[in-house]
């Protein structure tokens, strides 16, 4: 897939380079081609269901025509089978010559020839070239017309062909969002039911008899990956980046737009439609890769960013529980238009969220819940600013990796010992190393003094960790959120090899309300696969506890695989199970009660964790349920009214939820591909 060289201009407000925008017609076309050989043949339903936990991307290479050569692409293409080149008409002759020299299977095709007929011809040609002896899948293939619905309809149409369902009617383009969503959700339920019966090795007659009941059961427990597109730019950023005339030309966009259709000239539309097509491409690409669901949401209301910025600033001072609650309530009120029926239902059926946005959707509380969304399920963010980078990273992201070996963790301490925070953080890291020592066979923790940028770079080069924890102060320099290393703020760490996972144990390194340029996002550009950062200043001892618990659960999972598939799952468990500590940190009085008072011969906190809370904490209501269980224990001691009063005065802040995981943490698995497939193989 080739982009046309042009002037270095970008769209407003998300910043999509016009050269990349020119590639959008071809990118969308490539998304309709096979992603892997098994897209071409009949595959068991249990396998289709199993790979939802993986990510099988289309392998699309996006480069300018003058870089389409052996020097740049030679090593990359050695590990792949180059199939087809899609390009603007004006570079067709050169693209065909270069593609032939690089060994592409099919001749290059220009935008003007892209159609349903060429798509069908490409599917047939790819099948004939690679697997001519296997029967081809029945059913039609056609281009998606409505881009706003493509995150739902394209994964479903691909699934329908694999499952042998009728596909002719799926090409109808005037489907409403409601009916498209119902159809896609029904398809996921049928897949889950069929996969379950296959795994249980039900005979054809038994499967027919059990199928209706199995569908009902799977509908109730269905969980699928969900990708969301949530555009929107912080007004504070727009005021810095664009003049008044450009800001007036940008506006909010609805979730559904009948004019949002595919064409070979879609890149020539106004900026807001071009940006929309690019974001929808990223969301659809993600949904297709995970064989899941995708939704495009309306633009974040500008006031939501304003309130979020106020909330983040509030943490810079001595923050109060009441003020945080009020600000979160205001945030929920202004963001209420985002909650469509389809979004609510999709989240209820989601295994995890991938959110393409610069707004922390996980801080909102879904209607009917009492805790923010990030407590309900794991959330990973893909930043949209600049949109050029989003598209590039989406098509070029490395494959999923497995940390099923001994994990090496490097803790880089960048805060001097003379700083009280540095002393406390070192105590926390010592505790983490000692706590994980029994699991040393699966997790190695290395502590390093890295008080200068050069020392940090050298330590990473020397130890080559799988996970890098950077303990540093965070700081704002203008509208940039940086790390302080060696008394200097840094946005570019210049690491020789960036580890797959970087965890920033630092304050407000991922603020979102002001649209700040954040080191959390920039580390993705340096090569990290996933980066954890904080939206607000965090208390050093609480942060140390979170990091310690994360390492402990990670070590235990590697040693004895139980419940966590990915590193994102581990983090989500650490976040939500820390609700009790958020509550107890609300005041010295409640902490003293929980650690000193006893019930059944043991401290309250031990009683809570060991028995009382088991099976009683619903994630969408984890703080509310934690309060209830603690209140019941207090009632038995005759302290119920006093303890419940502490919940409100002075109250507590759900600090554990003000962290964001950006990048692809859901693609960092804790077992090998073989182990994952073996767990769901029929007969187990």
């Amino acid at each position: 897939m080739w982009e046309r060289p042009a002037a270095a201009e970008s769209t407003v407000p998300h910043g999509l380079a016009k050269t990349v925008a020119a590639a959008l017609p071809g990118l969308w076309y490539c998304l309709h081609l096979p992603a892997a050989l098994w897209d071409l043949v009949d595959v068991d339903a249990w396998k289709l269901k199993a790979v939802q936990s993986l990510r099988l991307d289309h392998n699309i290479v996006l480069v300018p025509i003058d870089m389409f050569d052996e020097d740049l692409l030679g090593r990359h293409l050695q590990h792949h089978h180059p199939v087809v080149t899609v390009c603007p008409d004006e570079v067709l002759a050169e693209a065909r010559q270069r593609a032939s020299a690089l060994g592409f299977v099919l001749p290059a095709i220009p935008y003007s020839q892209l159609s349903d007929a060429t798509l069908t011809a490409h599917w047939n040609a790819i099948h004939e070239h690679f697997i001519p002896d296997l029967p081809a899948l029945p059913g039609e293939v056609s281009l998606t017309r409505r881009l706003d619905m493509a995150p739902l309809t394209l994964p479903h149409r691909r699934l329908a062909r694999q499952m042998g369902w009728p596909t002719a009617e799926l090409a109808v383009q005037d489907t409403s969002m409601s009916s498209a969503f119902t159809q896609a959700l029904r398809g996921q339920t049928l897949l889950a039911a069929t996969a379950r019966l296959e795994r249980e090795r039900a005979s054809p007659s038994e499967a027919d008899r059990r199928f209706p009941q199995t569908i009902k059961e799977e509908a109730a427990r269905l969980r699928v990956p969900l990708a969301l597109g949530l555009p929107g730019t912080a007004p504070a950023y727009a005021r810095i980046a664009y003049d008044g005339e450009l800001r007036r030309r940008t506006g909010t966009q609805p979730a559904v737009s009948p004019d949002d259709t595919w064409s070979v000239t879609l890149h020539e539309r106004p900026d807001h439609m071009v940006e929309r097509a690019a974001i929808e491409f990223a969301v659809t690409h993600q949904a297709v890769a995970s064989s899941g669901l995708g939704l495009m949401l309306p633009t974040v209301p500008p006031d939501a960013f304003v309130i979020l910025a106020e909330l983040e600033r509030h943490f810079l001072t001595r923050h109060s529980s009441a003020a945080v609650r009020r600000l979160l309530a205001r945030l929920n009120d202004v963001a209420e238009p985002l909650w469509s029926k389809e979004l609510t239902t999709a989240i209820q059926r989601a295994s995890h969220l991938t959110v393409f946005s610069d707004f922390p959707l996980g801080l909102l509380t879904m209607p009917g819940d009492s805790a923010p969304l990030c407590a309900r399920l794991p959330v990973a963010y893909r930043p949209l600013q600049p949109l050029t980078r989003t598209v590039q990273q989406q098509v070029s992201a490395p494959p999923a990796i497995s940390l099923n070996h001994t994990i090496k963790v490097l803790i880089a301490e960048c805060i001097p010992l003379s700083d009280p925070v540095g002393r406390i953080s070192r105590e926390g890291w010592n505790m983490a190393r000692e706590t994980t020592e029994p699991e040393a066979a699966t997790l190695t923790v290395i502590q390093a003094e890295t008080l200068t940028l050069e020392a940090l770079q050298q330590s990473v080069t020397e130890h080559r960790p799988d996970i890098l924890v950077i303990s540093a102060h965070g700081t704002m320099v203008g509208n940039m959120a940086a790390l302080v290393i060696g008394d200097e703020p840094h946005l570019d760490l210049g690491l020789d090899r960036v580890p797959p996972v970087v965890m920033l144990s630092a304050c407000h390194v991922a603020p979102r309300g002001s649209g700040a340029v954040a080191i959390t996002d920039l580390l993705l550009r340096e090569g990290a696969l996933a980066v954890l950062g904080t939206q607000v200043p965090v208390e050093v001892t609480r942060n140390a506890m979170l990091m310690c618990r994360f390492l402990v659960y990670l070590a235990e999972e590697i040693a004895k695989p139980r419940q966590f598939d990915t590193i994102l799952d581990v983090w989500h468990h650490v976040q939500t199970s820390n609700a009790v500590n958020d509550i107890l940190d609300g005041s010295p009085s409640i902490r003293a009660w929980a650690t000193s008072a006893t019930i059944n011969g043991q401290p309250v906190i031990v009683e809570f964790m060991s028995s009382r809370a088991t099976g009683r904490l619903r994630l969408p209501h984890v703080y509310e349920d934690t309060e209830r269980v603690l209140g019941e224990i207090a009632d038995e001691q005759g302290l119920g009214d006093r303890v419940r009063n502490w919940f409100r005065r002075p109250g507590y802040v759900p600090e554990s939820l003000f962290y964001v995981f950006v990048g692809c943490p859901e693609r960092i698995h804790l077992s090998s591909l073989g182990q994952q497939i073996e767990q769901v193989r029929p007969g187990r």
Side-chain angles (χ1 to χ4, degrees), residues 376-404:
R376 172 183 270 272
L377 77 173
V379 182
Y381 293 96
R382 310 285 172 81
L384 288 182
Q385 198 79 27
L387 190 50
T388 294
R389 184 67 64 177
T390 305
V391 173
Q392 291 173 332
Q393 290 181 332
Q394 188 64 24
V395 299
S396 64
I401 65 173
S402 297
L403 295 181
N404 60 325

Side-chain angles (χ1 to χ4, degrees), residues 292-316:
L293 301 174
L295 286 174
M296 189 69 176
L297 306 185
T299 304
V300 178
D303 284 350
F305 281 106
V306 174
I307 296 170
L308 178 62
E310 185 179 348
L311 175 62
E312 291 173 346
R313 286 195 302 270
H314 178 72
F315 276 84
L316 295 173

Side-chain angles (χ1 to χ4, degrees), residues 14 55 57 151 226-232 278-287 293-298 300 353-361 379-385 387 389-391 393-395 663-664 666:
H14 289 97
R55 177 174 162 175
D57 302 82
L226 175 60
L228 300 175
L230 181 58
I279 297 170
E280 287 161 344
F281 167 78
V283 177
T284 306
H285 184 276
Q286 177 71 18
L293 301 174
L295 286 174
M296 189 69 176
L297 306 185
V300 178
L353 295 184
T354 301
V355 183
F356 291 83
S357 183
D358 294 317
F359 182 81
L361 183 69
V379 182
Y381 293 96
R382 310 285 172 81
L384 288 182
Q385 198 79 27
L387 190 50
R389 184 67 64 177
T390 305
V391 173
Q393 290 181 332
Q394 188 64 24
V395 299
C664 306
E666 81 283 0

Side-chain angles (χ1 to χ4, degrees), residues 656-677:
S656 302
L657 304 185
F658 286 87
Y659 289 73
V660 292
F661 228 147
V662 301
C664 306
E666 81 283 0
R667 298 177 62 190
I668 302 175
H669 296 270
L670 302 179
S671 59
S672 67
L673 173 61
Q675 290 171 322
Q676 294 171 57
I677 297 299

Side-chain angles (χ1 to χ4, degrees), residues 25-176:
L27 287 172
W28 272 104
Y29 183 84
C30 290
L31 206 54
H32 291 74
L33 293 171
L37 290 182
W38 80 345
D39 286 339
L40 299 163
V41 296
D42 184 41
V43 177
D44 293 335
W46 73 268
K47 294 179 182 177
L48 296 176
K49 184 63 180 175
V51 298
Q52 286 187 333
S53 62
L54 306 176
R55 177 174 162 175
L56 303 180
D57 302 82
H58 282 80
N59 190 1
I60 304 173
V61 180
L62 177 64
V63 294
I65 187 67
D66 56 357
M67 296 183 181
F68 184 20
D69 56 29
E70 177 70 26
D71 290 342
L72 180 68
L73 298 180
R75 290 185 61 185
H76 176 79
L77 295 181
Q78 286 178 0
H79 304 287
H80 300 87
H81 296 285
V83 177
V84 65
T85 303
V86 184
C87 63
D89 288 51
E90 61 265 32
V91 298
L92 177 61
E94 186 177 357
R96 280 183 171 170
Q97 181 180 5
R98 290 174 178 253
S100 177
L102 287 170
F104 277 70
V105 171
L106 303 177
I109 184 170
Y111 287 179
S112 62
Q113 295 181 18
L114 302 180
S115 66
D116 290 348
T118 55
L119 182 64
T120 299
H122 276 141
W123 274 80
N124 292 338
I126 293 169
H127 186 280
E128 181 63 26
H129 179 83
F130 289 102
I131 47 175
D133 297 331
L134 295 178
L137 284 174
E140 299 179 7
V141 292
S142 59
L143 292 168
T144 299
R145 303 301 174 191
R146 288 286 296 270
L147 302 187
D148 51 354
M149 296 186 192
L152 279 175
T153 59
L154 186 53
H156 178 68
R157 287 163 60 185
R158 297 173 71 90
L159 174 62
R161 289 196 75 219
Q162 289 279 10
M163 296 294 289
W165 302 331
T167 57
E169 68 273 16
L170 298 181
V172 177
Q173 298 301 323
D174 58 357
T175 305
S176 69

Side-chain angles (χ1 to χ4, degrees), residues 14 27 44 63 122 125 186 243 251 314 353 371 409 412 418 450-451 454-455 470 475 486 496 516 538 582 597:
H14 289 97
L27 287 172
D44 293 335
V63 294
H122 276 141
R186 173 71 173 173
D243 60 31
H314 178 72
L353 295 184
V409 179
S418 57
T450 55
L451 301 182
E454 293 74 16
I470 302 179
T475 187
D496 179 56
V538 292
D582 282 343

